[in-house]
């Protein structure tokens, strides 16, 4: 069972970014996932996790939506 979580900072206004990433993931991987959820956070967080493994962290990398989808695809194989 593959689950993906997108945790985003509400006070920072990252909701639209999270929705864009969610849409890209659904467009590319919807049939390969069991669950995709948005998790509200704070303190500048923006992370994407696959089964508790961080595949993207705003604190470490610049956002490349296609790159995030590729990483998730790799994790679901």
């Amino acid at each position: 069972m593959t689950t993906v979580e997108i945790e985003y900072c509400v006070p920072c206004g990252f909701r639209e970014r999270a929705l864009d990433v969610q849409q890209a993931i659904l467009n590319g991987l919807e049939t390969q996932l069991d669950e995709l959820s948005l998790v509200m956070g704070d303190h500048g967080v923006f992370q994407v996790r696959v089964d508790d493994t961080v595949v993207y962290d705003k604190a470490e990398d610049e956002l490349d939506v296609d790159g995030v989808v590729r990483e998730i695809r790799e994790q679901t194989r």
Side-chain angles (χ1 to χ4, degrees):
M1 177 154 91
T2 301
T3 62
V4 176
E5 286 186 346
I6 303 167
E7 184 177 7
Y8 66 98
C9 179
V10 173
C12 297
F14 291 162
R15 181 174 56 125
E16 288 300 318
R17 183 182 305 180
L19 291 171
D20 289 343
V21 172
Q22 180 185 44
Q23 187 65 43
I25 293 167
L26 287 173
N27 286 341
L29 300 166
E30 184 171 19
T31 60
Q32 297 170 326
L33 303 177
D34 295 309
E35 182 179 346
L36 172 60
S37 61
L38 297 175
V39 177
M40 295 176 282
D42 55 14
H43 302 294
V45 68
F46 195 92
Q47 289 185 340
V48 179
R49 291 183 290 276
V50 177
D51 298 329
D52 296 322
T53 300
V54 176
V55 296
Y56 171 76
D57 187 339
K58 179 184 85 57
E60 297 174 11
D61 296 310
E62 289 199 28
L63 182 61
D64 172 11
V65 176
D66 293 333
V68 170
V69 172
R70 280 191 301 275
E71 279 293 319
I72 294 170
R73 185 174 286 121
E74 288 296 317
Q75 294 289 323
T76 60
R77 290 186 180 181

